[in-house]
Amino acid sequence: MAKHGHPSARKSKKGPTVGSGGQGRQKLEGRGPTPKAEDRSWHPAGKRKAAKERLEAAKTRGGRKPSAATSTSGGPRSAKKSGDTEVVSGRNSVLEALRARIPATALTIAVRIEMDDRVKEALALATKRGVPILEVTRPEIDRLTGDSVHQGIALSVPQYEYAHPNDLLERAADRDEAPLIVALDGITDPRNLGAIIRSTAAFGGHGVIVPQRRSVGVTAAAWKTSAGAAARTPVAMAANLTQALKALKQQGVFVLGLDGDGDVSLPGLELADQPLVIVVGSEGKGLSRLVAETCDAIVSIPISEATESLNAGIAASVTLYEVARRRSAS
């Protein structure tokens, strides 16, 4: 029986072979000296060199605030994304959502619901805010909540309306400040998003960017975790995060990625007073390859050896604090 192996292991036919006529000679020639690290665009040293050149160019122009030019890289200009209503169910969840002042279109309660302090407070908050209160049968509220555990109460919340990435630059320009934006790469936990929105607001940031795919959006859970900051801090949606970051770079913004193996330590960061986008990757996979290659620098936060890594929300908070501290000191 004939044996079959990998194509590269098969024997060639016997007989004379035709020479290459010297056509393969170039393959034996050397390719010259290896380029210096700073001359390789993909190398950390090359990225630092490119960022330094951009920084010098910005100083030469005499300004550091980018213009909010129209761009299609982040999605349709001035478009707002809206859609179906989200439903928050359960007494604790509904009450927390109302306390956090999440925009709501209706509070639905079941007929003859058992009144406790949570239901009474939810009704009082909805009445005070002018949220319509609907009383329906149990089967209707079952259908509304998708048969989840609702305890006879549900809150209808309209889908969040996202900004465009350039809106965040305009917000910074209106304040006459250097942009400070946080972008999320693969963050899927709404509590992380809510915490990052809250930190962005606390440290003078101008907004957050989330990609359209493979990322969490502004859900009711994210809104609650933000403790109301989502009402003051815009969240923009980018159709393609890598392209959106490249478009921001073209407008004078420096892109910093956070990673434990970064080539720049946060205490040694020299770009804090410049227009910045801080990119936070997922806890498991970190920054995606294309996003990491787009960054001007990869920044690491020094931590104790006993701690393996930082939560994405905490890493963003620490970095935002350091940037804000340096800006206030300059």
Side-chain angles (χ1 to χ4, degrees):
M1 180 181 293
K3 296 182 179 180
H4 299 280
H6 190 276
S8 63
R10 293 174 187 168
K11 294 182 179 180
S12 59
K13 295 180 180 180
K14 294 182 179 180
T17 58
V18 180
S20 65
Q23 294 176 9
R25 189 174 300 159
Q26 291 179 348
K27 296 180 181 179
L28 302 177
E29 296 178 358
R31 297 186 178 183
T34 303
K36 296 180 180 179
E38 58 267 26
D39 293 331
R40 303 177 218 168
S41 60
W42 65 90
H43 194 280
K47 291 182 178 181
R48 287 196 295 271
K49 179 182 177 182
K52 186 175 181 180
E53 291 174 349
R54 289 174 56 210
L55 179 58
E56 293 299 325
K59 290 180 178 178
T60 302
R61 290 195 298 267
R64 67 180 188 181
K65 301 176 183 65
S67 60
T70 300
S71 171
T72 58
S73 298
R77 189 67 181 94
S78 300
K80 302 292 184 181
K81 187 177 180 64
S82 61
D84 296 334
T85 299
E86 180 184 358
V87 177
V88 179
S89 60
R91 300 189 181 196
N92 288 333
S93 297
V94 168
L95 182 55
E96 289 174 11
L98 287 169
R99 284 174 175 172
R101 300 192 63 81
I102 293 178
T105 55
L107 174 66
T108 305
I109 61 172
V111 176
R112 294 188 294 277
I113 185 174
E114 180 184 345
M115 290 286 181
D116 63 7
D117 291 340
R118 294 170 295 177
V119 175
K120 290 177 181 178
E121 186 178 350
L123 289 170
L125 289 172
T127 301
K128 183 178 180 180
R129 289 177 48 192
V131 178
I133 300 173
L134 309 176
E135 192 174 20
V136 301
T137 63
R138 286 278 175 173
E140 287 182 85
I141 200 168
D142 287 342
R143 179 183 55 79
L144 177 66
T145 60
D147 293 323
S148 64
V149 180
H150 53 71
Q151 299 172 302
I153 189 168
L155 187 69
S156 298
V157 180
Q159 192 175 63
Y160 184 83
E161 292 189 352
Y162 294 92
H164 184 280
N166 281 341
D167 294 338
L168 309 186
L169 296 184
E170 291 176 359
R171 192 165 188 254
D174 291 341
R175 296 182 180 183
D176 195 31
E177 297 171 345
L180 177 57
I181 300 167
V182 179
L184 308 187
D185 180 22
I187 300 293
T188 56
D189 189 338
R191 291 168 297 182
N192 269 334
L193 172 57
I196 290 171
I197 293 173
R198 189 174 183 177
S199 296
T200 301
F203 297 116
H206 301 101
V208 176
I209 299 176
V210 297
Q212 192 169 5
R213 290 185 252 177
R214 294 186 292 277
S215 177
V216 67
V218 183
T219 62
W223 189 291
K224 282 190 296 184
T225 309
S226 77
R232 307 185 304 274
T233 306
V235 177
M237 179 170 282
N240 183 297
L241 182 59
T242 302
Q243 294 303 318
L245 293 175
K246 289 180 178 179
L248 290 172
K249 287 176 69 172
Q250 291 174 356
Q251 297 177 67
V253 179
F254 291 87
V255 181
L256 304 179
L258 297 186
D259 190 273
D261 297 324
D263 51 289
V264 176
S265 177
L266 182 59
L269 182 63
E270 299 179 353
L271 296 169
D273 62 338
Q274 295 300 310
L276 292 180
V277 175
I278 299 168
V279 188
V280 185
S282 65
E283 291 182 49
K285 299 181 180 178
L287 299 172
S288 62
R289 180 180 61 83
L290 291 177
V291 168
E293 290 175 355
T294 304
C295 293
D296 291 302
I298 304 297
V299 180
S300 62
I301 302 172
I303 59 176
S304 167
E305 292 182 0
T307 305
E308 184 176 346
S309 63
L310 292 177
N311 168 275
I314 294 175
S317 298
V318 171
T319 307
L320 286 165
Y321 167 76
E322 179 65 13
V323 171
R325 184 189 68 81
R326 287 177 174 244
R327 287 188 174 188
S328 63
S330 61

